[in-house]
Amino acid sequence: MVYDLEKENKEIQYRYKDLISNTYRTLDEEQNKLIRKAFDIALDAHKDQRRKTGEPYIYHPIEVAKIVANEIGLGATSIACALLHDVIEDSEYTYEDIKKIFGQKIADIVNGLTKISVMNHQNISVQSENYRKLLLTLSEDFRVILIKIADRLHNMRTLESMRDDKQKKIASETVYIYAPLAHRLGLYNIKSELEDLSLKYNNPDVYYDIANKLELAKDNREKYVEEFKKEVSEQLKEEHLNFTIKGRAKAINSIYRKMLKQNVPFEEVFDNYAIRIIYKSDAKNEKFIAWKIYSIVTDLYHSNPQRMRDWITNPRSTGYESLHLTVLGPDKKWIEVQIRSERMDEIAEKGVAAHYKYKEGFKQNSDDRNFEQWVSQIREVIEQQQNLSTTELLDNIKLNLYSKEVFVFTPKGEIKILPVGSTALDFAFSVHTDLGMKCLGAKINGKLVPISYVLQNGDQIDILSSQNQKPKQDWLDIVITYKEKSIIEKMTKAVKKQALGRGLSALLKDPENDIKSVEDKNADKVVGNIIELDIESIEINPFQPRTNFNEETLQELDKSIKELSVIKPI
């Protein structure tokens, strides 16, 4: 095939200029030089390479860099790394070359991207070790994962050039891994697009059916939004507020999930679009103005209190802040309204990147700590679960990534954020592992409850503990987070070993050969053998002059076996 190289070179330069002129952050001269140097190296590295579409390969890193620069909103270092993200893997440039040209920081990020780009997989099963590497990069430099998400987004946008089986494979992996990661990093727009594109390839009939119905309803939707804007704007202007009002259809995948959950057709999903009111404010008046707008909207339209969400008083652990309410708007149709400041809107759009931009100037609550704590927990889980199967690893991390949250209070009034469905025992472990191990029960709002009590928003929790308490096997059914499950499993195994050791010591009656514990792999087998024996008729080996078991021995053995909760007591 003959290519028009002159035309392609012009297109490459045009795309590069578009990249540097549309960045979320303002770049100085030095930063522009860094990006240009990265572009030149990438151009050289990929000069003889083409994508499956036939386009020059350099188009891909430029488009990934655009997503990083504009849609995610990262700075010059990340933009440079996005341009270079395939250089080590696909060219003769090495890690040492990149380190020599750009320094260790950029070389490490590019190397991190290279490591996780070799994730070979079958269906949605990903090589365990590579998936661990992918997630561990979060606590090393979260820019690696953000650039990887941008890389995946561009690949999804251009997936039509791939074979059908490849499309489905990549789409499945995307919705299973990358969309939850984007969600947890606060990149809600990207998360929605990844989910929609995955649905497009995994279930095209459903995707196009909903997309066509949204398009048919577009004129009515725009008319409805304009009517809402007119009525609300008049009231907001009277209060001298500086604001904008936007209307948008909800994501196709989001609508599809509602159809499945409510078991209704598209026409009966009553809030398939939303209105966003974004206002200007300084830090001091931010909350006050949000509630003022809330009051104006609810004076105009009847609201559904059960669908009210206050993410301003208690931001999500991603840093997301907004008031969500559902009102019976013009023509008596339900519609979701989101109220947020310009700062909150940037955080909602750009996630972690914008969150760190606003470290200065606004009073921070626990948002930074919540994100960093989550990163730390993910790392702990992965490092502890070296022998976990791929499927278990994906399922458990995905659960932690996607879980919604419940807000509860310590006795001193400090807020703790836990996944919805968490129990009093989960709370105890979240305060401290030792407190979890010794947990007997809890007082919720002054009332005694068992450790299995499921936490509700606003609960104040005081944990009751005892030095004599030990973790039980059935606790694994009470806690919901994988970190706690792994700790309990480890401790119950230790208790099991000790108990079995005491039982066998009593059985052998040999003070010089006291058995403290047994190996895990032998424990169940030995216990099974003990139980199968008719203990009262056991005779001591005639070659070893001993007597039958006395009552004390049997009681000791009975006690030790009862401690093994997987076995019926004797």
Side-chain angles (χ1 to χ4, degrees):
M1 186 174 178
V2 179
Y3 298 102
D4 187 339
L5 299 181
E6 187 179 346
K7 185 179 178 182
E8 286 181 348
N9 286 333
K10 284 182 180 178
E11 178 64 20
I12 290 168
Q13 293 304 322
Y14 169 78
R15 292 188 182 212
Y16 172 73
K17 286 175 184 175
D18 185 49
L19 161 67
I20 58 172
S21 59
N22 288 291
T23 58
Y24 172 65
R25 301 189 185 192
T26 304
L27 303 173
D28 60 28
E29 188 179 345
E30 284 302 309
Q31 290 169 328
N32 276 313
K33 282 181 181 177
L34 170 65
I35 294 168
R36 181 71 209 196
K37 193 201 297 187
F39 169 71
D40 289 339
I41 295 293
L43 191 59
D44 179 58
H46 300 302
K47 60 180 180 294
D48 298 321
Q49 297 168 4
R50 293 189 175 270
R51 303 198 82 201
K52 290 203 178 292
T53 56
E55 297 175 331
Y57 192 87
I58 191 65
Y59 286 6
H60 170 64
I62 293 173
E63 293 305 313
V64 173
K66 281 184 185 179
I67 294 168
V68 166
N70 193 356
E71 296 180 54
I72 298 178
L74 298 177
T77 299
S78 299
I79 297 168
C81 291
L83 288 166
L84 297 166
H85 78 272
D86 280 333
V87 164
I88 294 177
E89 184 187 1
D90 292 341
S91 77
E92 293 180 359
Y93 283 94
T94 64
Y95 168 79
E96 291 300 327
D97 294 331
I98 301 300
K99 184 178 175 181
K100 190 174 180 180
I101 299 167
F102 295 98
Q104 183 160 351
K105 185 197 293 182
I106 287 178
D108 284 346
I109 294 173
V110 175
N111 199 42
L113 287 159
T114 303
K115 284 179 183 176
I116 58 179
S117 70
V118 294
M119 288 167 53
N120 298 319
H121 53 276
Q122 294 179 348
N123 299 322
I124 56 173
S125 179
V126 184
Q127 289 181 17
S128 236
E129 195 52 43
N130 284 325
Y131 190 59
R132 283 188 175 89
K133 287 175 185 173
L134 173 72
L135 289 166
L136 284 171
T137 57
L138 274 167
S139 50
E140 292 164 5
D141 193 321
F142 71 80
R143 285 173 292 193
V144 175
I145 202 69
L146 291 170
I147 296 166
K148 190 64 189 173
I149 287 169
D151 178 34
R152 177 51 58 108
L153 178 58
H154 185 247
N155 283 333
M156 287 299 295
R157 286 173 177 174
T158 56
L159 202 57
E160 67 274 358
S161 61
M162 307 288 277
R163 295 192 322 264
D164 284 357
D165 61 321
K166 194 86 169 174
Q167 288 175 349
K168 281 186 164 52
K169 196 179 282 189
I170 293 170
S172 296
E173 184 189 77
T174 298
V175 77
Y176 204 72
I177 298 172
Y178 289 95
L181 282 170
H183 172 88
R184 196 56 186 77
L185 291 165
L187 302 169
Y188 299 112
N189 287 347
I190 288 176
K191 168 246 184 190
S192 294
E193 188 177 351
L194 287 172
E195 287 180 334
D196 282 0
L197 289 168
S198 295
L199 184 65
K200 178 181 175 181
Y201 292 103
N202 280 329
N203 204 335
D205 292 344
V206 168
Y207 174 86
Y208 285 110
D209 181 53
I210 296 173
N212 291 337
K213 286 175 179 175
L214 284 173
E215 186 61 33
L216 288 172
K218 186 177 179 182
D219 289 343
N220 287 337
R221 183 170 68 247
E222 289 176 352
K223 183 181 176 183
Y224 181 90
V225 169
E226 285 305 312
E227 192 175 343
F228 179 94
K229 284 170 69 173
K230 184 180 177 184
E231 291 180 2
V232 173
S233 293
E234 288 173 4
Q235 299 291 322
L236 297 180
K237 284 174 182 174
E238 284 182 17
E239 298 294 330
H240 308 291
L241 295 174
N242 193 338
F243 64 93
T244 56
I245 299 178
K246 301 175 183 177
R248 61 171 182 84
K250 291 203 171 174
I252 293 171
N253 190 68
S254 173
I255 294 170
Y256 180 51
R257 282 206 308 266
K258 286 186 179 182
M259 289 165 61
L260 292 176
K261 186 178 179 182
Q262 299 167 16
N263 195 24
V264 295
F266 172 85
E267 290 73 19
E268 292 180 34
V269 177
F270 68 77
D271 59 344
N272 56 27
Y273 51 105
I275 284 175
R276 191 172 294 160
I277 302 172
I278 303 162
Y279 59 91
K280 284 185 181 291
S281 173
D282 57 12
K284 184 179 178 183
N285 295 302
E286 215 177 18
K287 285 187 182 180
F288 173 74
I289 294 174
W291 287 106
K292 191 172 189 176
I293 295 171
Y294 170 85
S295 178
I296 290 168
V297 172
T298 52
D299 282 347
L300 281 170
Y301 305 113
H302 176 69
S303 68
N304 181 346
Q306 290 184 324
R307 295 180 64 83
M308 164 68 186
R309 298 290 182 270
D310 176 11
W311 300 113
I312 291 180
T313 305
N314 292 310
R316 287 176 179 168
S317 52
T318 55
Y320 179 86
E321 297 171 77
S322 187
L323 285 182
H324 290 199
L325 57 151
T326 301
V327 299
L328 205 56
D331 298 334
K332 302 302 177 189
K333 291 179 182 175
W334 290 103
I335 188 165
E336 183 179 90
V337 180
Q338 300 169 357
I339 302 168
R340 60 178 71 146
S341 69
E342 288 182 337
R343 178 189 69 86
M344 296 173 193
D345 190 56
E346 278 197 82
I347 290 172
E349 297 286 325
K350 300 289 191 280
V352 175
H355 184 60
Y356 282 91
K357 174 185 174 183
Y358 281 101
K359 267 182 177 285
E360 302 297 328
F362 277 77
K363 184 182 178 183
Q364 295 293 300
N365 18 38
S366 57
D367 303 345
D368 287 339
R369 288 198 306 277
N370 289 335
F371 175 73
E372 286 154 11
Q373 183 183 31
W374 170 76
V375 167
S376 174
Q377 286 174 352
I378 291 290
R379 186 179 184 89
E380 281 179 34
V381 169
I382 297 165
E383 289 178 340
Q384 288 170 6
Q385 301 303 316
Q386 292 300 319
N387 299 319
L388 208 60
S389 75
T390 304
T391 307
E392 288 174 317
L393 179 67
L394 291 174
D395 283 343
N396 288 305
I397 298 295
K398 185 171 183 280
L399 177 69
N400 285 338
L401 289 172
Y402 245 158
S403 60
K404 293 184 178 179
E405 293 146 340
V406 61
F407 297 83
V408 294
F409 297 91
T410 67
K412 293 181 179 178
E414 296 171 358
I415 291 178
K416 281 272 182 187
I417 304 174
L418 296 166
V420 165
S422 293
T423 61
L425 187 57
D426 282 300
F427 175 85
F429 274 102
S430 76
V431 174
H432 199 280
T433 300
D434 286 346
L435 184 62
M437 293 295 184
K438 296 177 174 68
C439 181
L440 284 175
K443 277 188 178 180
I444 304 289
N445 308 322
K447 182 181 175 183
L448 282 171
V449 297
I451 59 175
S452 57
Y453 171 86
V454 178
L455 304 177
Q456 306 297 317
N457 270 323
D459 280 346
Q460 187 161 33
I461 309 167
D462 192 1
I463 295 296
L464 306 175
S465 62
S466 166
Q467 292 297 324
N468 297 323
Q469 177 68 300
K470 291 179 182 176
K472 309 285 195 304
Q473 189 82 13
D474 61 3
W475 285 15
L476 293 170
D477 298 323
I478 295 173
V479 295
I480 69 164
T481 59
Y482 207 81
K483 179 186 175 185
E484 275 70 63
K485 283 182 186 290
S486 63
I487 292 170
I488 293 166
E489 209 163 39
K490 186 177 178 182
M491 293 306 296
T492 52
K493 279 183 181 178
V495 170
K496 183 176 177 178
K497 286 182 187 180
Q498 291 166 5
L500 185 56
R502 288 199 304 273
L504 292 177
S505 293
L507 180 66
L508 296 174
K509 278 289 183 181
D510 188 349
E512 294 181 3
N513 188 28
D514 188 25
I515 301 172
K516 300 295 183 189
S517 66
V518 294
E519 292 298 319
D520 281 346
K521 62 185 178 182
N522 297 324
D524 291 333
K525 183 178 177 183
V526 174
V527 172
N529 290 341
I530 291 172
I531 289 176
E532 287 172 11
L533 297 174
D534 180 4
I535 290 182
E536 292 185 12
S537 64
I538 294 179
E539 295 286 336
I540 295 300
N541 187 325
F543 297 104
Q544 294 179 341
R546 300 186 185 183
T547 60
N548 285 342
F549 290 132
N550 59 31
E551 187 62 29
E552 184 183 343
T553 303
L554 289 173
Q555 285 176 357
E556 178 64 25
L557 184 61
D558 180 31
K559 178 184 172 187
S560 66
I561 292 178
K562 281 179 180 176
E563 290 183 29
L564 307 173
S565 57
V566 292
I567 312 165
K568 292 179 182 177
I570 297 171

PDB file of all heavy atoms in Angstrom, residues 209-223:
ATOM      1  N   ASP A 209     -29.843   0.141  20.567  1.00  0.00           N
ATOM      2  CA  ASP A 209     -31.256   0.357  20.862  1.00  0.00           C
ATOM      3  C   ASP A 209     -31.429   1.563  21.799  1.00  0.00           C
ATOM      4  O   ASP A 209     -32.241   2.462  21.542  1.00  0.00           O
ATOM      5  CB  ASP A 209     -31.855  -0.900  21.505  1.00  0.00           C
ATOM      6  CG  ASP A 209     -33.333  -0.741  21.802  1.00  0.00           C
ATOM      7  OD1 ASP A 209     -34.090  -0.370  20.873  1.00  0.00           O
ATOM      8  OD2 ASP A 209     -33.747  -0.963  22.955  1.00  0.00           O
ATOM      9  N   ILE A 210     -30.636   1.596  22.893  1.00  0.00           N
ATOM     10  CA  ILE A 210     -30.721   2.719  23.844  1.00  0.00           C
ATOM     11  C   ILE A 210     -30.209   4.007  23.199  1.00  0.00           C
ATOM     12  O   ILE A 210     -30.817   5.076  23.357  1.00  0.00           O
ATOM     13  CB  ILE A 210     -29.930   2.403  25.135  1.00  0.00           C
ATOM     14  CG1 ILE A 210     -30.566   1.210  25.854  1.00  0.00           C
ATOM     15  CG2 ILE A 210     -29.893   3.619  26.064  1.00  0.00           C
ATOM     16  CD1 ILE A 210     -29.769   0.704  27.045  1.00  0.00           C
ATOM     17  N   ALA A 211     -29.088   3.919  22.453  1.00  0.00           N
ATOM     18  CA  ALA A 211     -28.521   5.109  21.799  1.00  0.00           C
ATOM     19  C   ALA A 211     -29.534   5.727  20.832  1.00  0.00           C
ATOM     20  O   ALA A 211     -29.697   6.958  20.798  1.00  0.00           O
ATOM     21  CB  ALA A 211     -27.237   4.732  21.060  1.00  0.00           C
ATOM     22  N   ASN A 212     -30.224   4.899  20.058  1.00  0.00           N
ATOM     23  CA  ASN A 212     -31.220   5.411  19.097  1.00  0.00           C
ATOM     24  C   ASN A 212     -32.396   6.062  19.810  1.00  0.00           C
ATOM     25  O   ASN A 212     -32.906   7.107  19.379  1.00  0.00           O
ATOM     26  CB  ASN A 212     -31.716   4.274  18.196  1.00  0.00           C
ATOM     27  CG  ASN A 212     -30.628   3.790  17.232  1.00  0.00           C
ATOM     28  OD1 ASN A 212     -29.696   4.525  16.927  1.00  0.00           O
ATOM     29  ND2 ASN A 212     -30.734   2.544  16.788  1.00  0.00           N
ATOM     30  N   LYS A 213     -32.835   5.458  20.913  1.00  0.00           N
ATOM     31  CA  LYS A 213     -33.958   6.031  21.664  1.00  0.00           C
ATOM     32  C   LYS A 213     -33.573   7.362  22.313  1.00  0.00           C
ATOM     33  O   LYS A 213     -34.397   8.292  22.387  1.00  0.00           O
ATOM     34  CB  LYS A 213     -34.459   5.027  22.705  1.00  0.00           C
ATOM     35  CG  LYS A 213     -35.245   3.885  22.083  1.00  0.00           C
ATOM     36  CD  LYS A 213     -35.638   2.829  23.097  1.00  0.00           C
ATOM     37  CE  LYS A 213     -36.446   1.727  22.415  1.00  0.00           C
ATOM     38  NZ  LYS A 213     -36.754   0.607  23.328  1.00  0.00           N
ATOM     39  N   LEU A 214     -32.331   7.455  22.790  1.00  0.00           N
ATOM     40  CA  LEU A 214     -31.857   8.736  23.341  1.00  0.00           C
ATOM     41  C   LEU A 214     -31.814   9.811  22.258  1.00  0.00           C
ATOM     42  O   LEU A 214     -32.149  10.977  22.498  1.00  0.00           O
ATOM     43  CB  LEU A 214     -30.471   8.563  23.965  1.00  0.00           C
ATOM     44  CG  LEU A 214     -30.403   7.870  25.327  1.00  0.00           C
ATOM     45  CD1 LEU A 214     -28.949   7.633  25.724  1.00  0.00           C
ATOM     46  CD2 LEU A 214     -31.111   8.688  26.397  1.00  0.00           C
ATOM     47  N   GLU A 215     -31.379   9.426  21.066  1.00  0.00           N
ATOM     48  CA  GLU A 215     -31.311  10.377  19.951  1.00  0.00           C
ATOM     49  C   GLU A 215     -32.711  10.858  19.559  1.00  0.00           C
ATOM     50  O   GLU A 215     -32.918  12.051  19.309  1.00  0.00           O
ATOM     51  CB  GLU A 215     -30.620   9.709  18.756  1.00  0.00           C
ATOM     52  CG  GLU A 215     -30.349  10.651  17.583  1.00  0.00           C
ATOM     53  CD  GLU A 215     -29.435  11.813  17.928  1.00  0.00           C
ATOM     54  OE1 GLU A 215     -28.539  11.638  18.780  1.00  0.00           O
ATOM     55  OE2 GLU A 215     -29.633  12.905  17.332  1.00  0.00           O
ATOM     56  N   LEU A 216     -33.674   9.934  19.512  1.00  0.00           N
ATOM     57  CA  LEU A 216     -35.055  10.310  19.179  1.00  0.00           C
ATOM     58  C   LEU A 216     -35.645  11.259  20.224  1.00  0.00           C
ATOM     59  O   LEU A 216     -36.452  12.134  19.898  1.00  0.00           O
ATOM     60  CB  LEU A 216     -35.934   9.051  19.069  1.00  0.00           C
ATOM     61  CG  LEU A 216     -35.707   8.169  17.834  1.00  0.00           C
ATOM     62  CD1 LEU A 216     -36.487   6.862  17.959  1.00  0.00           C
ATOM     63  CD2 LEU A 216     -36.129   8.920  16.558  1.00  0.00           C
ATOM     64  N   ALA A 217     -35.243  11.075  21.461  1.00  0.00           N
ATOM     65  CA  ALA A 217     -35.783  11.907  22.548  1.00  0.00           C
ATOM     66  C   ALA A 217     -34.993  13.198  22.753  1.00  0.00           C
ATOM     67  O   ALA A 217     -35.321  13.995  23.636  1.00  0.00           O
ATOM     68  CB  ALA A 217     -35.787  11.104  23.846  1.00  0.00           C
ATOM     69  N   LYS A 218     -33.952  13.410  21.927  1.00  0.00           N
ATOM     70  CA  LYS A 218     -33.039  14.540  22.139  1.00  0.00           C
ATOM     71  C   LYS A 218     -33.755  15.890  22.098  1.00  0.00           C
ATOM     72  O   LYS A 218     -33.556  16.748  22.961  1.00  0.00           O
ATOM     73  CB  LYS A 218     -31.934  14.503  21.082  1.00  0.00           C
ATOM     74  CG  LYS A 218     -30.853  15.551  21.301  1.00  0.00           C
ATOM     75  CD  LYS A 218     -29.747  15.416  20.267  1.00  0.00           C
ATOM     76  CE  LYS A 218     -28.680  16.477  20.463  1.00  0.00           C
ATOM     77  NZ  LYS A 218     -27.627  16.395  19.428  1.00  0.00           N
ATOM     78  N   ASP A 219     -34.635  16.096  21.094  1.00  0.00           N
ATOM     79  CA  ASP A 219     -35.331  17.388  20.964  1.00  0.00           C
ATOM     80  C   ASP A 219     -36.197  17.668  22.181  1.00  0.00           C
ATOM     81  O   ASP A 219     -36.192  18.784  22.725  1.00  0.00           O
ATOM     82  CB  ASP A 219     -36.180  17.406  19.687  1.00  0.00           C
ATOM     83  CG  ASP A 219     -35.321  17.468  18.441  1.00  0.00           C
ATOM     84  OD1 ASP A 219     -34.128  17.816  18.555  1.00  0.00           O
ATOM     85  OD2 ASP A 219     -35.830  17.137  17.342  1.00  0.00           O
ATOM     86  N   ASN A 220     -36.965  16.657  22.615  1.00  0.00           N
ATOM     87  CA  ASN A 220     -37.816  16.838  23.804  1.00  0.00           C
ATOM     88  C   ASN A 220     -36.982  17.103  25.046  1.00  0.00           C
ATOM     89  O   ASN A 220     -37.356  17.930  25.890  1.00  0.00           O
ATOM     90  CB  ASN A 220     -38.679  15.589  24.029  1.00  0.00           C
ATOM     91  CG  ASN A 220     -39.801  15.489  23.013  1.00  0.00           C
ATOM     92  OD1 ASN A 220     -40.215  16.493  22.427  1.00  0.00           O
ATOM     93  ND2 ASN A 220     -40.298  14.278  22.791  1.00  0.00           N
ATOM     94  N   ARG A 221     -35.836  16.397  25.148  1.00  0.00           N
ATOM     95  CA  ARG A 221     -34.959  16.568  26.299  1.00  0.00           C
ATOM     96  C   ARG A 221     -34.398  17.991  26.341  1.00  0.00           C
ATOM     97  O   ARG A 221     -34.404  18.645  27.403  1.00  0.00           O
ATOM     98  CB  ARG A 221     -33.818  15.552  26.233  1.00  0.00           C
ATOM     99  CG  ARG A 221     -32.879  15.606  27.420  1.00  0.00           C
ATOM    100  CD  ARG A 221     -31.922  14.431  27.430  1.00  0.00           C
ATOM    101  NE  ARG A 221     -30.960  14.476  26.338  1.00  0.00           N
ATOM    102  CZ  ARG A 221     -30.922  13.615  25.338  1.00  0.00           C
ATOM    103  NH1 ARG A 221     -31.824  12.659  25.258  1.00  0.00           N
ATOM    104  NH2 ARG A 221     -30.007  13.718  24.391  1.00  0.00           N
ATOM    105  N   GLU A 222     -33.941  18.494  25.205  1.00  0.00           N
ATOM    106  CA  GLU A 222     -33.380  19.852  25.160  1.00  0.00           C
ATOM    107  C   GLU A 222     -34.435  20.904  25.470  1.00  0.00           C
ATOM    108  O   GLU A 222     -34.163  21.894  26.155  1.00  0.00           O
ATOM    109  CB  GLU A 222     -32.743  20.094  23.787  1.00  0.00           C
ATOM    110  CG  GLU A 222     -31.451  19.295  23.585  1.00  0.00           C
ATOM    111  CD  GLU A 222     -30.866  19.453  22.196  1.00  0.00           C
ATOM    112  OE1 GLU A 222     -31.539  20.057  21.326  1.00  0.00           O
ATOM    113  OE2 GLU A 222     -29.736  18.969  21.972  1.00  0.00           O
ATOM    114  N   LYS A 223     -35.639  20.670  24.990  1.00  0.00           N
ATOM    115  CA  LYS A 223     -36.745  21.592  25.272  1.00  0.00           C
ATOM    116  C   LYS A 223     -37.051  21.613  26.774  1.00  0.00           C
ATOM    117  O   LYS A 223     -37.263  22.666  27.374  1.00  0.00           O
ATOM    118  CB  LYS A 223     -37.984  21.158  24.481  1.00  0.00           C
ATOM    119  CG  LYS A 223     -39.180  22.079  24.643  1.00  0.00           C
ATOM    120  CD  LYS A 223     -40.360  21.551  23.831  1.00  0.00           C
ATOM    121  CE  LYS A 223     -41.610  22.427  24.080  1.00  0.00           C
ATOM    122  NZ  LYS A 223     -42.783  21.892  23.365  1.00  0.00           N
TER     123      LYS A 223
END
